Amino acid sequence: MPRKKIDLKYDIDYLSILDKDGEVDSDLEPDIDDDRLLDLHRAMLLGRRFDERMLKLQRSGKIGTFAPIHGQEASQLGAVACLEEEDWLVPSFRETAAEIWRGKAMENVLLAYAGFNEGAHVPKGVNNLPVSVPVGTQALHAVGIGYAMKLKGKKEVAMVFFGDGATSEGDVHEAMNFAGVFQTPTVFICQNNHWAISIKRSHQTRSETIAQKALAYGMPGIQADGNDALAVYAAAKEAVDRARAGDGPTFIECVTYRMSVHTTADDPKRYRSDEEVEKWKERDPIDRFQKYLKDKDLLSDDAIEALESEIKDEIKAAVKGWEKRMAELTDKTGMFDNVFAEMPPYLAEQKEAFEKTLSS
Amino acid sequence: MPRKKIDLKYDIDYLSILDKDGEVDSDLEPDIDDDRLLDLHRAMLLGRRFDERMLKLQRSGKIGTFAPIHGQEASQLGAVACLEEEDWLVPSFRETAAEIWRGKAMENVLLAYAGFNEGAHVPKGVNNLPVSVPVGTQALHAVGIGYAMKLKGKKEVAMVFFGDGATSEGDVHEAMNFAGVFQTPTVFICQNNHWAISIKRSHQTRSETIAQKALAYGMPGIQADGNDALAVYAAAKEAVDRARAGDGPTFIECVTYRMSVHTTADDPKRYRSDEEVEKWKERDPIDRFQKYLKDKDLLSDDAIEALESEIKDEIKAAVKGWEKRMAELTDKTGMFDNVFAEMPPYLAEQKEAFEKTLSS
Amino acid sequence: MAKLTMVQAINLALHQEMKKDEDVVVLGEDVGVDGGVFRVTDGLIDEFGEERVMDTPLAESGIAGFAIGMALYGLKPVAEIQFSGFAYIAFHQMEAHAARLRGRSGGRFTVPMVLRMPYGGGVRALEHHSESREAYWAHTPGLKTVIPSTPRNARSLLVSAIRDPDPVIFYEPKASYRAFKEEVPDEEETFPIGESQIVREGDDLTVIAYGAMMRPTLEAADKLKEDDGIDCEVIDLLTISPLDDAKFTKSAQKTGRILVVHEAPRSFGPGAEIITRLVEKSFVYLEAPVRRVTGYDVVIPLYQREFDYLPGVDRIVSAARETLDFKA
Amino acid sequence: MAKLTMVQAINLALHQEMKKDEDVVVLGEDVGVDGGVFRVTDGLIDEFGEERVMDTPLAESGIAGFAIGMALYGLKPVAEIQFSGFAYIAFHQMEAHAARLRGRSGGRFTVPMVLRMPYGGGVRALEHHSESREAYWAHTPGLKTVIPSTPRNARSLLVSAIRDPDPVIFYEPKASYRAFKEEVPDEEETFPIGESQIVREGDDLTVIAYGAMMRPTLEAADKLKEDDGIDCEVIDLLTISPLDDAKFTKSAQKTGRILVVHEAPRSFGPGAEIITRLVEKSFVYLEAPVRRVTGYDVVIPLYQREFDYLPGVDRIVSAARETLDFKA
Ligand SMILES: Cc1ncc(C[n+]2csc(CCOP(=O)(O)OP(=O)(O)O)c2C)c(N)n1
Ligand SMILES: Cc1ncc(C[n+]2csc(CCOP(=O)(O)OP(=O)(O)O)c2C)c(N)n1
Ligand SMILES: [Mg+2]
Ligand SMILES: [Mg+2]
């Protein structure tokens, strides 16, 4: 009975399919329809351009604080591209492109960041939870949702996003542990963008990878190149299939990089070097994906140009729509709605008092 | 760039030195003074007998709810035996024997379980935190204490105990993560006694071992036979030495078994079989350790008998002392003391009002 | 109709609701095989299986957040926190999400869950097992907080809480779990959340209480009647939030003299809100300062001293007398 | 002596205390290299190094529990929670341990820590970044809760909080972080925790407020003077708990008419305790119902509507007029 090594059930793998120049590893290349590949590309580009537009709107004071996604397009879209409509998306606050893919209107994104609660409202039938601001707390919801799916005999999946920083929160730990114990159809996507505001990945936790945290829950875990849409897709597809088949949760670490500010209230110059950012520019997820699509003859420079102009128009229309919506949102009493299904007397009294202040 | 396995820095080992019949693996046998071995044995026996006595006191209504340690003597005493006086013990609520080893008076243990807050009071100079009831919350304190030791340039160690159930709590996760990041001199001892009230180990978490959770924090982790005082000692010694040398925290899973009720308010017949308990009787930590000490000619049946009677007297004296203390504790205003260093006016008013109710 | 303890009555509510509505699920630490440390969920796992009666890992935030997720999908989870003293670990989930998701999503998502837990002192328990901190929940917009006082109202209120489309914090007075029995009808019974109950009528003094404090309060009312000929009107709040201020402000207009009793710590406690509503709505009728008989602003002591902390009959009686003696 | 914003004044307090006492350490998310998301801890890491100015992992319970451990050993940690809306994650650590370890250990262990955090609305922030829930802390025996209102008192109160031998929750009104400057002496200054301040004397009406609400309150007092010739006595609480009821009950005995202003939700909020103390201690002097001007019992809306939620000058002025007009 000597001191002996314990063999663990799972290994932690690293998955990369497109290299940094966009060359594909054809052994690992996932089987994706051409149309879907182009949709994915379009969504990545739209995500990037919309982000840029929002930054301008924020800088000119038209919207408030928001969290840009620049650099993380593959990491979030590669993952949600594996979901079906009836599956559930449980976002943090940095999955704007994923939310749009899943049916959230750009208008609403703008509305929310412009300080209108209405922007976060979710249309009936859309299975996206609203943005969750308290870091990591939403992970548990995805586990509960997954459990409910299972109990109801549905073959659905809940996919939850959070950042590298979020993995330090107790709630993310409890979520992964519950998912393991109850074998829920939950896919955990950690967008490791190397920073949690000013805290670098290496200071967030001492484990060599974030993926290996899956071992603590007896759950398969994998690290994927998060700037490689194919790798993210392949990892997520495996996880979604596993969940849908009733084989439980998976944890995916997408290694990516936050190219922009944490939020528009942040100044990254205080804590990171330009060189680091430059280095990551070379691994741009959109450039790589475009190279791949071109190599596959699915895309050309002309097509990209046409697409860019189409996207520009789409965003312009969304901005217009948003401005119109803002002008229409004149009712100020919304804060009293939906506190409860039925308004209790004390709230009705308060609403009345509030209405009096409006008219006086 | 294929899918490739990531090599992790640490392996998880299993350590066992005395087999279940008390045969020692002499390659792994730790180097412990004979005196210390005998002290350890005495403490284990005292722990067992005091536990038995408390159970009787509880059953006859003389004390309230308490958590027996039966079966876990090696697991807790093997660990604290590695500490120096200036080190800190951060217990959960099931380390009575360890607390006594570290200087807590049996009188006080009884006093606390008899419903007197005074029993939990800690004498100046004793570095044992009081019992922590909210499961797992104390783990963070041991990390903060460890950090403070380090900052103050002290070569001290904080050792914290918790159960298998506690590992599900977010606070234990956050504690291990902080300890990893700040490389604090903290030794985490998880007494995996297979049950968290009625929840069995396999339902608490899906990882094959609890020890492997250390990997999530880039921390060395080891699983020891918790009913083998030598294995626990050896694992803890390595961890304490590492911490004292400035090389950071360690996580130790002691695989043991709760032979008795969870607390005296619990009825284990509702959730576990007698056979399971019987099976673990064969691995009794005291029997095994006595066999080892006898083989080493450090102990004889006569010596054990003498020791038993000595311990009996010691416990009898403690019970007497406790009864005397109870009779002396007549001041009922203690609840107002030590809320703050200085009593604010509103509390003084309340205390006065309370004193009036006493005299009326 | 049977005479049940509160534990049995709550168990009955759970049984019947689970039978009636397959979306009702029960979860928590030791609620399954063990039937709950107080046996409140006894037998449920045998009848409904471990898929609907879930023993969870030891993690309160986990329990709350997991239940929120289930509720978002359409289930009606009844989650147990083993003791209210451990519920603060789950507080942020209830504040940040359970209470807000209806509003945040504009009504698309709702959280029809119940977070049940035993609260309060008087059962010789360890530290953290005797707290009464309902004010934390009551101060949180989007949550309802309910505290029954007898087997029958515990049963009917829990049924209402389970059917309520919004999150309800359900505090169970553990001191009353087995202290007495009451007739509880077999057939379904509900009681509206947000409504208090006048349990004794009287003209001299209004006493407002709830939960485990109802017993010493009613005993004190008896004593005041017997010894002093005083007629107390006793109001059992039942719901702490939304607070039914209509009944007690009306009663105050009749009696002009009011006492509030709770075992929660005094300062910033529920009594303060009740008194403030009285000031806001019945000011001119108040003939004496409204007094509160409460726990002190300290941690409730271990069992040798817990009844020094807890309001008892004597403290209530003497506060009542002082209120009645008050002359401006 | 220099004119400082509140951010600078708090920074000054931290600098000076860290310099004076090497047991003072600072920790939290982004407090080091980044200098805090509001720059409150700017420059500290350069002067005192990363061992005493610790950037922590993203975990609020972790921050609180880690700080408690350090405090138990003898350090004086000043821990930052990035926004008060996330502090509920750490609530149980403060309730179960920070607030109790002195009592639990009979004085052997103490927790001389400060948990600082920005609170309150008015800065166009995201959800969970504008809450004002000081009542949760104030209702917790063993904790002190302090809310400064100006650069100078923020500095002196923080120094007192750091030196206080017990845990202090330090709520910083983020709306006042940079809104105005005030002369703050270079030399050390403290202000006793548990003491309120009469910031304006008057005979007609007492207005009790604190934190960011002091500005609209004082503006309202000006307006009431100018437009109606009314003299308000304005009291800045500064400490919420222990509540200094001596000053405001005395003031009430002079004016008989009182208004309480806070941005926290109304029900079970701090105003309720203040009003209750007035009833308990100055009942016979009250000439009108004490009114409260507060946030509503809803989640504070996003920025387009946040000033609809927050008490403003107009609401304060009209409540004052109604109070003054009241006739029994
Ligand atoms: C519980 C909680 N604590 C703190 C914050 C403030 N905050 C917002 S985002 C953030 C960093 C998040 O880092 P990470 O999880 O890596 O996600 P990323 O921002 O990089 O996408 C912090 C500290 C918060 N929103 N919630
Ligand atoms: C936060 C918290 N939740 C629940 C409880 C109730 N409780 C006390 S001990 C216990 C089980 C603990 O199991 P484990 O951590 O394995 O320790 P063991 O009792 O086996 O020593 C529970 C659920 C508690 N004390 N604290
Ligand atoms: Mg990040
Ligand atoms: Mg256990």
Side-chain angles (χ1 to χ4, degrees), chain B residues 164 193 195-196:
Chain B
D164 45 313
N193 63 5
W195 292 94

Side-chain angles (χ1 to χ4, degrees), chain A residues 23 25 64 77 80 82 89 118 135 148-149 152 192 195 212 231 242 249 306 312:
Chain A
E23 296 297 338
D25 180 329
L77 287 164
V80 286
C82 303
L89 168 65
E118 289 82 353
V135 167
M149 291 167 169
K152 289 284 191 181
N192 168 10
W195 292 93
Q212 77 200 62
R242 178 179 294 131
K312 202 170 168 180

Side-chain angles (χ1 to χ4, degrees), chain A residues 122-196:
Chain A
V122 181
K124 287 255 172 287
V126 171
N127 293 336
N128 297 356
L129 288 196
V131 157
S132 169
V133 172
V135 167
T137 53
Q138 74 280 6
L140 283 158
H141 309 162
V143 184
I145 291 166
Y147 188 88
M149 291 167 169
K150 196 171 146 175
L151 188 69
K152 289 284 191 181
K154 298 284 168 62
K155 297 238 161 295
E156 299 166 356
V157 175
M159 179 180 281
V160 58
F161 283 84
F162 47 83
D164 45 312
T167 63
S168 296
E169 288 281 5
D171 276 10
V172 171
H173 164 78
E174 298 186 13
M176 304 237 282
N177 194 46
F178 273 60
V181 166
F182 292 111
Q183 290 290 289
T184 60
T186 312
V187 177
F188 297 92
I189 308 277
C190 176
Q191 292 200 73
N192 168 10
N193 64 5
H194 283 82
W195 292 93

Side-chain angles (χ1 to χ4, degrees), chain D residues 26-185:
Chain D
V26 160
L27 67 153
E29 295 158 12
D30 308 293
V31 300
V33 182
D34 199 34
V37 293
F38 286 104
R39 307 290 172 255
V40 170
T41 54
D42 197 21
L44 296 179
I45 197 167
D46 303 323
E47 192 164 340
F48 304 105
E50 61 179 33
E51 300 211 326
R52 288 181 62 204
V53 183
M54 282 161 269
D55 272 322
T56 66
L58 212 179
E60 287 71 19
S61 183
I63 291 168
F66 184 58
I68 290 169
M70 290 193 272
L72 290 170
Y73 193 81
L75 298 182
K76 294 177 187 145
V78 184
E80 174 177 304
I81 299 291
Q82 205 160 76
F83 288 89
S84 69
F86 309 128
Y88 319 130
I89 302 176
F91 191 71
H92 66 284
Q93 278 289 344
M94 300 308 292
E95 191 279 329
H97 296 300
R100 294 173 181 236
L101 269 155
R102 176 188 288 279
R104 186 182 297 148
S105 69
R108 161 71 180 89
F109 298 112
T110 61
V111 186
M113 70 178 281
V114 179
L115 196 70
R116 301 180 32 242
M117 61 197 94
Y119 87 95
V123 304
R124 295 172 57 104
L126 297 168
E127 200 194 341
H128 305 282
H129 288 68
S130 304
E131 278 68 16
S132 181
R133 301 279 175 89
E134 56 279 9
Y136 296 147
W137 309 103
H139 184 51
T140 305
L143 297 182
K144 298 178 181 178
T145 304
V146 171
I147 308 190
S149 59
T150 72
R152 185 163 176 180
N153 64 37
R155 187 278 193 102
S156 54
L157 279 164
L158 182 56
V159 170
S160 296
I162 294 172
R163 296 183 190 174
D164 196 280
D166 288 303
V168 178
I169 307 295
F170 199 82
Y171 258 40
E172 299 167 4
K174 70 173 93 64
S176 306
Y177 261 169
R178 297 173 195 283
F180 60 101
K181 293 192 172 193
E182 189 184 18
E183 297 278 356
V184 177

Side-chain angles (χ1 to χ4, degrees), chain A residues 241-311:
Chain A
D241 289 349
R242 178 179 294 131
R244 214 181 294 287
D247 294 330
T250 307
F251 180 60
I252 301 173
E253 173 189 1
C254 295
V255 181
T256 181
Y257 194 79
R258 191 191 83 216
M259 297 298 293
S260 183
V261 291
H262 165 72
T263 67
T264 49
D266 171 52
D267 173 12
K269 294 222 181 308
R270 294 180 68 96
Y271 53 79
R272 73 183 186 185
S273 69
D274 288 344
E275 295 83 69
E276 182 179 304
V277 181
E278 283 307 312
K279 211 194 71 193
W280 278 90
K281 254 196 196 142
E282 294 163 21
R283 316 184 115 255
D284 187 85
I286 295 181
D287 291 351
R288 282 154 83 179
F289 198 48
Q290 287 184 340
K291 166 81 165 55
Y292 168 70
L293 294 177
K294 284 180 189 168
D295 288 350
K296 271 182 100 85
D297 279 336
L298 291 172
L299 203 62
S300 65
D301 285 335
D302 285 350
I304 293 176
E305 205 174 303
L307 185 60
E308 290 275 17
S309 121
E310 197 184 305
I311 283 173

Side-chain angles (χ1 to χ4, degrees), chain C residues 207-230:
Chain C
V207 189
I208 305 165
Y210 55 90
M213 286 296 107
M214 287 311 296
R215 300 183 71 216
T217 297
L218 286 168
E219 217 181 295
D222 283 344
K223 196 171 157 65
L224 286 162
K225 177 70 185 167
E226 245 167 68
D227 295 1
D228 310 36
I230 291 164

